[in-house]
Amino acid sequence: MSLQTLPRLTRAELTRAGHAAAAPPVRIVHLGAGAFHRSHQAWFTAHATDAADWGIAAFTGRRDTVARQLGPQDGLFTLVERGPGTDRFEVIPAIAEVRPASDAARFTALMTAAATAVVTLTVTEAGYHQRADGALDLQHPAVLDDIRALRGDHLADTRTPTGRLLAGLSARARAGAPPLTVVPCDNVPANGERLRGAILALAQHTGHEGAVAGTAFVTTSVDRITPHTTDEDRRAVADATGWRDEGVVVAEPFADWTLCGDFAGERPAWESAGARFVPDIEPYERRKLLLLNGGHLVLAFGGLLRGHATVAQAMADDRCRRDLDTFWDEAARAAGSVDTRDYRAALVRRFENGRIEHRLTQIAVDTVTKIRMRILPVLAHERAEGRPGSGAMAVVRAWGDSIRSARIDGETDAAAALARLLDGADPALAADIGTAAFHP
């Protein structure tokens, strides 16, 4: 039977099937309605004890694909939890509406609504347009466009996540709505403070300083492997449920969310779904960033060079596994006092899950920013302790080899990539990388 002949997943369809799923009232605005948001923040919100009180209005990023997928489905989608042996199918009802990024009117309406209490974001590291030191790159063309729009009070013309967020906060301040809380959910260290600094810098350059007053910024560490969805995944959902779902998301069973900071107002009871609220997040985010995300880069570059397509395939390669263990030994030292032994053992099990097709090309994007955040801190720590950091250096070398052999989409000039990587880096470390690791 063709998928097109099946009924489309909607709230009405669920009701007819005896599974009522009323849309919860919107109290969360989200920027970046991709697969990870749906497998992570939407999942945690749906599993909270007060889920019926917290609906999400999700806005897309650069492309409006998700709005076209989920709009006709009333925000519903099926999450496939893919374990080593079986799949578990669950409809997630937390997203009440999905809008394209271009719907500035609806975004402003929700940002100025008194009921809205939280803004979450899932943005790639590069999408924040921040310099190596974490400050907003005020010379980036996209940021300059937003500066002009904000100075001219054309709030609807902002395009970057930082610009759109400031425009929404400015509109909220003018409406007299109570302060809200911003919760970035990405792989940027100290993401709450860094986003707050970027928003303040943009506000100071555009005359919107008052928009930030009272806004709370919470720092988070997020973790759930979420590979790209395939046609086979959509077919599996149809076979298991009997409906056609254009917004299927696949994820591993594991999910982790650590948050640190005070909220300006109310929030969902995410802790009831397993989220962790801590007074100091740095050890958790550093462990995750260096061991999980850094480990992914080890496997991505080494695996691509050796002809592999997925993380699980690279894990089955003895050479890739040795390189990973060498890097992990160094990353564990750089992570500090937080436990890494059990965490590392859990990562092995997660990475070896062959039913999660986490493609190496999906990892190997925005590579300059990722290496700067995930690999160079390990190398710098090893050098500071008098060790060579050969595991971390090998990752940089494999990165350069991958670019030169055209394994990384969008990167073709190794010398230019190296220059971007070393911009602002410690001179001694930069010279060593340039001469020893990034060989011609």
Side-chain angles (χ1 to χ4, degrees):
M1 178 181 293
S2 169
L3 288 180
Q4 300 303 314
T5 65
L6 295 176
R8 186 81 173 264
L9 173 62
T10 63
R11 295 186 191 270
E13 181 62 29
L14 277 187
T15 300
R16 281 193 291 273
H19 305 288
V26 172
R27 301 203 63 198
I28 301 171
V29 171
H30 181 78
L31 297 180
F36 181 76
H37 163 64
R38 286 175 277 156
S39 77
H40 193 272
Q41 299 93 56
W43 182 90
F44 274 96
T45 303
H47 282 255
T49 53
D50 55 355
D53 301 326
W54 291 92
I56 301 169
F59 288 80
T60 63
R62 289 170 292 183
R63 294 181 294 274
D64 63 359
T65 305
V66 176
R68 296 196 305 271
Q69 291 173 336
L70 296 191
Q73 299 182 182
D74 306 319
L76 295 177
F77 63 94
T78 308
L79 177 67
V80 183
E81 285 193 356
R82 182 151 291 163
T86 59
D87 287 343
R88 178 177 177 271
F89 303 90
E90 178 185 8
V91 175
I92 304 298
I95 297 179
E97 58 182 273
V98 185
R99 305 279 179 164
S102 57
D103 194 344
R106 184 57 178 160
F107 178 69
T108 301
L110 289 169
M111 287 295 292
T112 56
T116 301
V118 177
V119 176
T120 56
L121 304 89
T122 46
V123 179
T124 64
E125 293 94 325
Y128 280 118
H129 304 298
Q130 295 177 357
R131 302 193 313 247
D133 61 2
L136 182 66
D137 184 358
L138 295 168
Q139 300 306 312
H140 191 283
V143 176
L144 287 172
D145 286 344
D146 277 1
I147 288 174
R148 285 188 286 269
L150 289 162
R151 283 177 175 171
D153 218 24
H154 302 300
L155 303 185
D157 293 336
T158 52
R159 293 291 178 266
T160 71
T162 307
R164 292 175 66 198
L165 179 57
L166 179 57
L169 292 175
S170 182
R172 186 176 184 87
R174 294 178 186 182
L180 48 68
T181 303
V182 177
V183 185
C185 303
D186 48 50
N187 291 319
V188 176
N191 51 23
E193 283 305 305
R194 288 180 68 157
L195 181 56
R196 179 179 181 274
I199 290 288
L200 284 172
L202 190 59
Q204 290 163 359
H205 277 77
T206 59
H208 288 266
E209 294 94 331
V212 192
T215 303
F217 290 81
V218 170
T219 293
T220 72
S221 175
V222 296
D223 189 2
R224 191 170 208 183
I225 296 172
T226 307
H228 287 308
T229 302
T230 66
D231 289 338
E232 289 76 14
D233 298 326
R234 284 181 278 271
R235 168 57 68 182
V237 168
D239 291 342
T241 66
W243 56 65
R244 175 167 58 97
D245 184 352
E246 299 293 343
V248 172
V249 175
V250 177
E252 64 174 334
F254 178 92
D256 185 81
W257 196 4
T258 306
L259 304 94
C260 178
D262 296 325
F263 282 69
E266 294 181 299
R267 63 165 177 82
W270 285 318
E271 65 273 29
S272 66
R276 180 190 303 114
F277 288 81
V278 299
D280 181 13
I281 200 173
E282 195 276 337
Y284 297 93
E285 66 178 7
R286 189 170 181 84
R287 178 180 66 181
K288 187 258 180 178
L289 193 69
L290 301 184
L291 272 77
L292 185 144
N293 299 120
H296 269 161
L297 291 182
V298 176
L299 296 174
F301 304 139
L304 289 171
L305 286 171
R306 294 175 65 80
H308 303 305
T310 68
V311 168
Q313 289 172 5
M315 283 292 286
D317 185 310
D318 290 342
R319 169 65 184 275
C320 291
R321 183 60 190 274
R322 285 196 302 271
D323 290 346
L324 178 64
D325 284 334
T326 300
F327 174 78
W328 267 352
D329 289 342
E330 298 173 358
R333 291 190 287 265
S337 59
V338 69
D339 165 69
T340 57
R341 185 182 64 179
D342 292 344
Y343 184 79
R344 185 166 161 175
L347 285 180
V348 170
R349 293 191 295 271
R350 296 168 64 191
F351 287 2
E352 287 180 342
N353 182 358
R355 299 186 70 246
I356 288 287
E357 291 195 2
H358 197 181
R359 304 196 70 79
L360 301 178
T361 52
Q362 182 183 354
I363 297 169
V365 295
D366 297 331
T367 55
V368 171
T369 303
K370 289 179 177 178
I371 288 176
R372 184 182 291 133
M373 291 182 175
R374 307 173 185 183
I375 306 300
L376 294 193
V378 175
L379 180 57
H381 182 271
E382 288 294 285
R383 291 302 174 86
E385 296 294 320
R387 292 182 288 267
S390 56
M393 191 71 83
V395 183
V396 182
R397 183 180 297 112
W399 171 63
D401 290 343
S402 296
I403 294 175
R404 279 189 292 271
S405 58
R407 299 300 206 285
I408 299 177
D409 292 341
E411 287 283 6
T412 57
D413 189 331
L418 175 64
R420 296 198 308 275
L421 176 67
L422 300 183
D423 182 25
D426 174 79
L429 195 62
D432 193 26
I433 291 173
T435 58
F438 217 93
H439 54 79

